[in-house]
Amino acid sequence: MVMIKNNEKFDVSIINYGINNLKSVSMAFQKIGKTYKIIEKPEEVLFAKSLILPGIGAFGDGMKGLKKRGLIEPIKQKINEGTPMLGICLGMQMLFTESEEFGLYDGLNLISGRVIPFKKPKEVNLKGYKVPHMGWNELKKPYDGIKNFESSWNGTLLADINEKIDVYFVHSYYPIPKNKENILATTTYGNQEFCAVVKKENVCGTQFHPEKSGNVGIQILKKFCELNNI
Amino acid sequence: MKKVRIIARLDVKGPNVIKGVHLECLRVVGKPGDLAEKYYLEGADELLYMDIVASLYRRDNLLNIVNQASDKIFIPFTVGGGIRSLQDIKEFLKAGADKVAINTAATENPNLISKAARMFGSQCIVLSIEAKRRGDNKWEVYTNNGRERTGLDVIEWIKKAEDLGAGEILLTSIDQEGTKKGFDIELIKSISEFASIPIIVSGGAGSSDDIYKCIKECNIDTIAIASILHYNISSIPQIKQNLLQHNIQVRKRW
């Protein structure tokens, strides 16, 4: 049992469901002085202080990877218990109900919503518009006409971040949360405004890669730890 | 409008970053770790490591460099030189690279591009092309740092690579490389006209204005630079400032 409980003492547990690049996200947490463990067993999920769901690749493969390792139920259980979780890129998309990538696939359904593709270049007809959306782009506060703009990022992942700062994206799909209240920040690409940061209680996610977004990204990861007393 | 990306290119030989002219006459300009960190902190949008002798020897050297870089560099980086198989790609991605650039192996076995794109996603597969002018509006694909001809036409090869699923093209002009005389505008223009995937242009930048001129005239949004940085001709903030003054959008704060 000692072996299994081993990750209890680590600040963050990074879930490996068969993806290749876990180094950058690990090093980003190391950079801010946090201890991390890469985990892939259900027991390890259950003992985690906080969960990071990184990601690259296709939605269906990602969910299959989680399922194969028996991680879906343990993750859901932990979220119910209030464990903080951060999804990154595909990891963020998998927090949602379902995705249209290569068919219709079920997600973790921790946040209601669907993941849909960017419009094809010929539908948009904008110079320089290509899919995937790859490169640096700006974070904005979502407009809802009610919230106080100045304060809407206070007490969130983006508390110390200036609006319109650039972060690094690589993706062809993006999520549409059913409840607009879950949208913390948006980004516009090819005239399509999409949810770039999502939050619902103890679960949050970034469509961009904080671990590849320079100092800004590091600040966001630091804030995630700070907000959750990690 | 998409933001222009400025990529710092580090050509690596053994333990050093080197710089040549026409991919030859190599001079040591620093250590990979030091320069990578410097350019990262100065606001480079991405880094590009190219091991210029790896395809002739071995790629362990580059793997070590990548492993060390990913400990402290938190922007995307591409790695090239000596990548010959799906296993090689996997190792570099595991070491923290975001993308791999493939040159020689792709010309010998174009299916490597399609297999790699399927396995790892197009976004991490960069086809690296060394182009040398062979008469009017004709460029030939070279490999092994401009040492070997392939007989392939650059434009035809890019069209094919797009079909195979390459995510980006790294286009290095051997004629301009290291000369600081400006980019091969004709070459870049003739490619940007039809290419549907991003083109990273490399070779020839000698001033901030060369970079502006290339972006403006060729409708290009990604530039890889080396000499201009290594020899302190212009810094990344100066290059970006110059672009901003010409109303070209770049990442300003980091």
Side-chain angles (χ1 to χ4, degrees):
Chain A
M1 274 313 276
V2 178
M3 282 288 282
I4 291 166
K5 287 176 77 170
N6 211 11
N7 64 312
E8 220 174 2
K9 58 179 187 286
F10 289 90
D11 297 323
V12 294
S13 293
I14 301 168
I15 302 172
N16 179 15
Y17 50 92
I19 52 179
N20 292 305
N21 192 348
L22 291 165
K23 174 114 195 269
S24 304
V25 71
S26 309
M27 289 303 113
F29 281 104
Q30 182 171 296
K31 164 94 179 165
I32 56 174
K34 304 298 168 194
T35 53
Y36 69 89
K37 188 173 188 224
I38 292 168
I39 62 166
E40 55 181 320
K41 295 197 186 93
E43 304 81 22
E44 292 174 314
V45 170
L46 294 174
F47 285 111
K49 233 196 261 182
S50 71
L51 291 168
I52 309 296
L53 189 61
I56 194 133
F59 192 98
D61 294 341
M63 286 305 297
K64 226 183 273 170
L66 288 176
K67 196 174 173 191
K68 200 173 95 187
R69 290 167 179 76
L71 302 179
I72 293 178
E73 286 314 311
I75 290 173
K76 287 185 175 175
Q77 185 186 328
K78 286 293 274 186
I79 299 311
N80 270 333
E81 291 167 5
T83 302
M85 177 162 175
L86 170 68
I88 296 171
C89 195
L90 173 65
M92 178 247 211
Q93 295 180 357
M94 293 195 298
L95 302 174
F96 287 88
T97 315
E98 58 197 0
S99 168
E100 294 179 7
E101 188 172 8
F102 303 127
L104 193 61
Y105 286 91
D106 285 337
L108 291 166
N109 198 23
L110 299 170
I111 300 173
S112 296
R114 182 184 269 208
V115 179
I116 67 158
F118 276 118
K119 286 183 189 151
K120 294 193 173 71
K122 47 180 182 235
E123 293 172 70
V124 173
N125 202 16
L126 260 179
K127 208 171 104 179
Y129 175 77
K130 284 164 186 168
V131 178
H133 172 219
M134 184 160 72
W136 298 85
N137 207 339
E138 296 173 0
L139 291 179
K140 294 178 297 185
K141 288 171 185 168
Y143 179 75
D144 63 7
I146 306 162
K147 272 186 198 160
N148 177 352
F149 270 31
E150 298 308 315
S151 64
S152 69
W153 282 353
N154 283 350
T156 73
L157 272 189
L158 305 175
D160 300 330
I161 302 299
N162 291 316
E163 205 175 350
K164 289 198 169 172
I165 203 128
D166 288 302
V167 289
Y168 187 78
F169 292 89
V170 185
H171 61 130
S172 304
Y173 291 74
Y174 63 88
I176 302 186
K178 196 173 168 197
N179 183 352
K180 300 291 170 248
E181 295 284 304
N182 295 148
I183 303 173
L184 190 56
T186 64
T187 296
T188 302
Y189 183 59
N191 292 337
Q192 297 155 91
E193 187 179 2
F194 65 89
C195 173
V197 185
V198 69
K199 187 185 178 333
K200 188 192 166 196
E201 293 150 16
N202 48 326
V203 181
C204 55
T206 63
Q207 179 60 72
F208 57 90
H209 287 272
E211 77 281 14
K212 289 290 172 181
S213 296
N215 205 31
V216 179
I218 300 289
Q219 288 304 319
I220 291 171
L221 296 178
K222 206 168 167 181
K223 193 46 98 177
F224 171 78
C225 294
E226 210 178 288
L227 290 171
N228 294 300
N229 300 315
I230 297 164
Chain B
M1 182 60 194
K2 227 172 178 175
K3 291 191 181 185
V4 161
R5 287 180 289 164
I6 302 295
I7 301 180
R9 174 172 180 156
L10 305 172
D11 289 323
V12 175
K13 185 183 180 189
N16 297 312
V17 175
I18 52 88
K19 192 68 205 93
V21 179
H22 308 305
L23 300 173
E24 286 176 339
C25 313
L26 309 176
R27 227 175 100 177
V28 173
V29 292
K31 295 286 175 207
D34 299 344
L35 289 178
E37 198 168 11
K38 180 179 171 216
Y39 301 146
Y40 164 58
L41 294 174
E42 281 183 0
D45 297 317
E46 291 184 28
L47 293 179
L48 169 63
Y49 288 98
M50 294 294 275
D51 192 327
I52 63 153
V53 289
S55 63
L56 297 177
Y57 302 99
R58 58 202 182 93
R59 47 169 187 68
D60 303 25
N61 176 51
L62 193 57
L63 207 50
N64 285 336
I65 290 169
V66 170
N67 256 313
Q68 283 164 21
S70 56
D71 289 353
K72 51 187 178 182
I73 307 286
F74 299 104
I75 50 172
F77 59 92
T78 304
V79 182
I83 293 169
R84 309 203 62 89
S85 66
L86 296 172
Q87 186 57 33
D88 288 346
I89 297 171
K90 198 170 182 173
E91 279 177 35
F92 278 107
L93 296 179
K94 273 199 166 152
D98 297 272
K99 309 179 225 179
V100 292
I102 309 173
N103 179 3
T104 311
T107 59
E108 290 166 0
N109 172 22
N111 285 334
L112 179 61
I113 296 285
S114 52
K115 278 188 192 157
R118 259 202 310 276
M119 184 174 261
F120 305 104
S122 284
Q123 82 287 338
C124 64
I125 307 301
V126 180
L127 177 71
S128 169
I129 297 177
E130 295 163 8
K132 196 171 164 74
R133 188 181 283 271
R134 311 293 293 179
D136 282 352
N137 287 314
K138 271 204 103 53
W139 293 266
E140 184 179 340
V141 177
Y142 275 62
T143 58
N144 284 328
N145 262 9
R147 278 185 288 262
E148 280 174 46
R149 299 178 60 170
T150 63
L152 294 166
D153 176 72
V154 168
I155 290 172
E156 293 309 313
W157 181 220
I158 290 177
K159 285 180 181 162
K160 182 160 186 203
E162 288 190 333
D163 291 342
L164 291 170
E168 277 179 296
I169 304 285
L170 167 64
L171 179 70
T172 306
S173 159
I174 299 171
D175 305 294
Q176 301 306 107
E177 204 277 334
T179 62
K180 306 199 272 295
K181 286 180 181 162
F183 293 92
D184 187 337
I185 297 287
E186 217 176 70
L187 166 67
I188 297 165
K189 252 189 190 165
S190 61
I191 288 159
S192 74
E193 271 166 17
F194 72 84
S196 63
I197 57 176
I199 308 287
I200 304 164
V201 297
S202 178
S207 69
S208 294
D209 280 337
D210 284 344
I211 295 168
Y212 164 65
K213 201 177 147 207
C214 180
I215 292 165
K216 180 86 186 159
E217 290 185 17
C218 306
N219 187 25
I220 277 286
D221 59 21
T222 312
I223 303 267
I225 47 176
S227 300
I228 191 170
L229 297 178
H230 302 332
Y231 298 129
N232 294 311
I233 299 165
S234 282
S235 67
I236 291 161
Q238 285 165 342
I239 291 164
K240 289 192 169 182
Q241 193 54 43
N242 188 47
L243 293 175
L244 281 169
Q245 277 166 3
H246 287 101
N247 285 321
I248 289 173
Q249 293 306 304
V250 291
R251 179 173 71 117
K252 288 179 283 212
R253 294 172 295 176
W254 44 85

